[in-house]
Amino acid sequence: MTIPGVGPVVSLAFRSTIDVPARFKSSKAVGPALGLTPMLNQSGESHRVGRISLCGDDMMRHLLYESAQVMLTRVTKWSWLKAWAVNIAKRRGQQKAIVALARRLAVVMHRMWIDGTEFRWTRDVTPLAA
């Protein structure tokens, strides 16, 4: 719940949806398991990247989308995650940025759960004092 835009409902739903975090080989595998990756339709020479695949838990995908939208539009404090999403929104559009941020939130939440860490607002790693 230390991530901006993620509240108790989202964190409890994420925990119950993922259940055992060790079943994923890496944190990057959480996004596709929740259906937050683009679907690729191929037929001969044509390659069409369509909408998200929609596999996985629909409720969790909806909650992550709402959290990403809140982070992008309502949260005033800047973080590295919000800056990343704003860059995508400038290049690709608001809706694609929200879906990308939702996938990234799932990855970050999974990694935080495995490591037992809290959300870092900056990417800088501060060395521990001796």
Side-chain angles (χ1 to χ4, degrees):
M1 286 180 20
T2 58
I3 301 174
V6 175
V9 173
V10 177
S11 59
L12 284 173
F14 185 78
R15 192 165 179 114
S16 65
T17 301
I18 301 301
D19 195 32
V20 179
R23 70 184 169 129
F24 293 100
K25 188 175 181 179
S26 69
S27 294
K28 290 182 181 180
V30 176
L34 296 174
L36 290 168
T37 53
M39 187 170 44
L40 183 64
N41 296 325
Q42 294 181 333
S43 173
E45 293 181 10
S46 65
H47 301 306
R48 225 179 84 238
V49 177
R51 299 183 181 268
I52 58 174
S53 65
L54 298 178
C55 64
D57 189 10
D58 184 43
M59 179 94 146
M60 189 67 238
R61 191 171 44 255
H62 176 72
L63 288 171
L64 284 171
Y65 182 87
E66 291 294 321
S67 294
Q69 189 172 20
V70 166
M71 179 188 271
L72 204 55
T73 59
R74 299 284 182 206
V75 175
T76 56
K77 188 174 179 182
W78 279 87
S79 65
W80 66 270
L81 200 53
K82 183 174 179 173
W84 175 81
V86 167
N87 272 341
I88 291 177
K90 285 179 186 174
R91 288 181 282 135
R92 298 285 185 183
Q94 185 85 2
Q95 297 300 319
K96 288 185 180 182
I98 291 173
V99 172
L101 182 57
R103 183 187 168 282
R104 193 77 179 251
L105 275 174
V107 171
V108 169
M109 288 170 65
H110 182 262
R111 179 51 46 195
M112 286 172 54
W113 186 7
I114 287 178
D115 294 345
T117 58
E118 289 193 9
F119 181 71
R120 291 189 319 221
W121 289 88
T122 61
R123 284 207 175 227
D124 299 333
V125 178
T126 56
L128 297 173

